[in-house]
């Protein structure tokens, strides 16, 4: 994944993605080794392009209204191994090598650690 491979022709699929009214699309980061869902964040066209150019995950921070390079300050970067989108073209799945084994801003490996008990009875 580098800028030499990012041509208009091979990036036409981006135009087919279904961004929301704010120009964002949901992106799930998943550990490529064991399948753990690490986090959900938002991407826009610029963050998608930056991710593809650098091979490391970039997202759009809604609270700061700016591009966000995952791990730029913490060192817990996400090296992209696969970049996929779903059949409806409204969600992205990024399979990553999580450097530092911490994806959540709380210091946890995954943002998904709050378990809800379900009583099917």
């Amino acid at each position: 994944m580098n800028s030499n491979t990012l041509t208009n022709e091979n990036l036409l699929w981006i135009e087919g993605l279904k961004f929301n009214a704010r120009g964002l699309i949901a992106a799930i980061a998943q550990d490529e080794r064991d399948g753990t869902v690490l986090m959900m964040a938002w991407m826009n066209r610029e963050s998608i392009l930056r991710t593809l150019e650098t091979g490391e995950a970039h997202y759009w921070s809604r609270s700061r209204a700016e591009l966000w390079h995952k791990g730029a300050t913490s060192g817990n970067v996400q090296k992209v191994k696969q970049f996929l989108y779903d059949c409806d073209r409204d969600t992205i799945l990024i399979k990553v090598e999580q450097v530092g084994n911490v994806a959540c801003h709380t210091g946890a490996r995954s943002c998904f650690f709050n378990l809800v008990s379900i009583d099917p009875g």
Side-chain angles (χ1 to χ4, degrees):
M1 286 185 220
N2 61 53
S3 57
N4 295 335
T5 62
L6 300 180
T7 64
N8 288 340
E9 185 177 314
N10 68 12
L11 291 178
L12 288 176
W13 59 269
I14 291 176
E15 298 309 313
L17 293 176
K18 295 179 183 171
F19 294 91
N20 68 17
R22 296 176 66 186
L24 303 174
I25 189 169
I28 304 294
Q30 180 182 37
D31 187 299
E32 60 106 16
R33 289 176 300 125
D34 66 13
T36 301
V37 175
L38 299 171
M39 57 179 275
M40 180 274 178
W42 295 96
M43 297 184 94
N44 61 10
R45 283 178 178 80
E46 181 183 5
S47 63
I48 291 170
L49 290 172
R50 187 70 56 88
T51 296
L52 296 173
E53 289 169 353
T54 65
E56 293 184 351
H58 288 71
Y59 301 103
W60 179 256
S61 171
R62 294 181 304 164
S63 61
R64 295 186 312 267
E66 65 184 18
L67 196 63
W68 159 45
H69 176 204
K70 177 66 176 161
T73 56
S74 69
N76 298 315
V77 298
Q78 294 176 340
K79 295 184 178 185
V80 177
K81 301 301 181 180
Q82 289 185 323
F83 193 100
L84 305 99
Y85 55 88
D86 74 333
C87 58
D88 292 326
R89 302 177 81 99
D90 62 2
T91 305
I92 291 170
L93 174 64
I94 307 172
K95 294 188 179 186
V96 301
E97 173 190 340
Q98 179 64 58
V99 176
N101 205 32
V102 174
C104 185
H105 74 280
T106 65
R109 177 168 187 252
S110 169
C111 293
F112 296 93
F113 54 82
N114 294 297
L115 180 64
V116 176
S117 294
I118 300 174
D119 181 6

